[in-house]
Amino acid sequence: MGWQSSLERVGEFTSKYFVLWVLMAAPLALYEPDLFTPIAPYITPLLGIIMLGMGLTLTPDDVRRIFERPRDVAIGALAQWILMPTIAYALVVALGLPREIGLGLILLGAAPGGTASNVMTYLGRGDVALSVSITTVTTIAAPLVMPAWIVVLAGESISVTFAEMAESIVQVVLLPVVGGLVLRHLLDRYAPAVAKAGLSVFPAISVVAIVAIVAAVVGLNVETILGAGALVFLAVVLHNGLGLGSGYAVGHATDMAEDRARACAFEVGLQNSGLAVAIATAHFSAGAALIPALFSVWHNVSGPALATLFTHLDDDDPVAGDEAATVSD
């Protein structure tokens, strides 16, 4: 049908130039923050819409595969729990970061996976079901993992309630994804044409929502961003880049399929920076919140860039694209 083809073209075009839209929005928000700060109250609902779209990409078979191969969930979670805090500590030592700034980097490294990892897995044609599973596991364990790493690496003790994290993961991730999964199942059975249209248009909706979130975050953190030194930016970029690269390497080293290795890359490299900012502000200082705040902007540049690279690789190599499209079909 003509309208379905049009939707597909819009979705493909919007997703293909995802990183361009982000790179256009971020400087604009830095220059005119008041244009975008009103979006801030809607960040959580926008994330919920994105997660609903990802739920629509899932089928019962995708969920069953998680329980059939729990080793990949365990590998992804362990990689994030071990690699990111240790990389953060190594960077603090190597770069000689001030105590408060370094504490923020360690806090970020110890944070669980965020919704950004799920979104980027979705847009990078990775295994969304695996990504959501790893995010859920790491978030549930966060009340134990985060304080433990802070005590071990920074000699600090923090109080984090399980209820706060559980509420966040249920509202922003689990409920929308399960809702999308159920909706997809019903549409496949009773309205397959509508299901296909939804799969065509939701990538574009997700891109628009993410660009809006990035612009809002930049607008809210203008002073923080402008006041950050080059060394702090370097720490953020290195931590994120090493996480993405090591996560992808771990995935392939443990014989994961391409789509699962991509999910592992995003899960390891992209943390719940919003949670890290909140904990830093509540229990430490504004200085400790600096790196997590900058990361919340940077990972919305690096994540789309890597997702775009993956989709271009699929377009150039149809065989790899077929392998990575498991969750997209």
Side-chain angles (χ1 to χ4, degrees), residues 289-310:
L290 176 59
I291 280 185
L294 292 174
F295 185 88
S296 68
V297 176
W298 172 251
H299 77 185
N300 282 301
V301 174
S302 65
L306 183 57
T308 300
L309 175 61
F310 282 144

Side-chain angles (χ1 to χ4, degrees), residues 5-325:
S5 298
S6 298
L7 287 177
E8 289 177 2
R9 286 195 295 271
V10 169
E12 290 175 0
F13 176 81
T14 308
S15 299
K16 183 177 182 180
Y17 297 102
F18 184 11
V19 68
L20 177 61
W21 313 138
V22 173
L23 291 175
M24 290 172 61
L28 182 58
L30 200 61
Y31 182 71
E32 288 288 348
D34 292 341
L35 292 176
F36 301 99
T37 51
I39 300 172
Y42 304 101
I43 288 177
T44 297
L46 286 171
L47 288 173
I49 290 172
I50 295 167
M51 301 307 293
L52 175 67
M54 285 186 291
L56 285 171
T57 71
L58 299 176
T59 66
D61 287 339
D62 294 320
V63 177
R64 279 194 290 270
R65 287 191 300 122
I66 294 300
F67 295 101
E68 290 169 358
R69 293 190 63 192
R71 66 175 289 275
D72 289 351
V73 178
I75 289 169
L78 285 170
Q80 186 186 74
W81 285 331
I82 296 171
L83 289 173
M84 295 310 282
T86 53
I87 290 173
Y89 182 74
L91 288 173
V92 170
V93 174
L95 298 176
L97 295 177
R99 176 176 171 76
E100 287 190 352
I101 302 296
L103 180 60
L105 183 58
I106 293 172
L107 187 61
L108 175 67
T115 53
S117 62
N118 309 138
V119 174
M120 300 311 163
T121 299
Y122 166 52
L123 294 170
R125 300 176 186 172
D127 190 322
V128 177
L130 175 62
S131 176
V132 172
S133 297
I134 296 173
T135 296
T136 302
V137 169
T138 55
T139 302
I140 289 173
L144 295 176
V145 174
M146 290 184 72
W149 274 119
I150 295 300
V151 170
V152 170
L153 298 179
E156 298 282 353
S157 179
I158 62 174
S159 174
V160 183
T161 67
F162 177 85
E164 291 172 342
M165 296 186 189
E167 183 180 3
S168 173
I169 195 69
V170 167
Q171 291 180 350
V172 179
V173 178
L174 290 184
L175 288 180
V177 168
V178 171
L181 174 63
V182 172
L183 182 59
R184 167 73 180 275
H185 179 67
L186 293 175
L187 290 175
D188 281 343
R189 174 171 293 187
Y190 300 109
V194 176
K196 185 176 181 180
L199 291 175
S200 299
V201 74
F202 252 100
I205 294 174
S206 298
V207 168
V208 172
I210 294 168
V211 171
I213 291 170
V214 171
V217 170
V218 171
L220 291 169
N221 290 282
V222 171
E223 292 183 4
T224 299
I225 294 169
L226 295 179
L231 198 62
V232 176
F233 274 110
L234 179 62
V236 170
V237 172
L238 287 176
H239 187 249
N240 176 231
L242 290 170
L244 292 169
S246 60
Y248 189 66
V250 166
H252 277 293
T254 54
D255 295 322
M256 290 187 189
E258 173 64 19
D259 62 335
R260 291 189 162 216
R262 293 179 184 185
C264 191
F266 289 119
E267 283 301 316
V268 174
L270 303 182
Q271 273 63 53
N272 189 336
S273 54
L275 178 62
V277 168
I279 292 176
T281 303
H283 300 280
F284 298 106
S285 65
L290 176 59
I291 280 185
L294 292 174
F295 185 88
S296 68
V297 176
W298 172 251
H299 77 185
N300 282 301
V301 174
S302 65
L306 183 57
T308 300
L309 175 61
F310 282 144
T311 57
H312 279 299
L313 290 175
D314 289 347
D315 293 339
D316 293 337
D317 185 355
V319 175
D322 289 342
E323 181 184 357

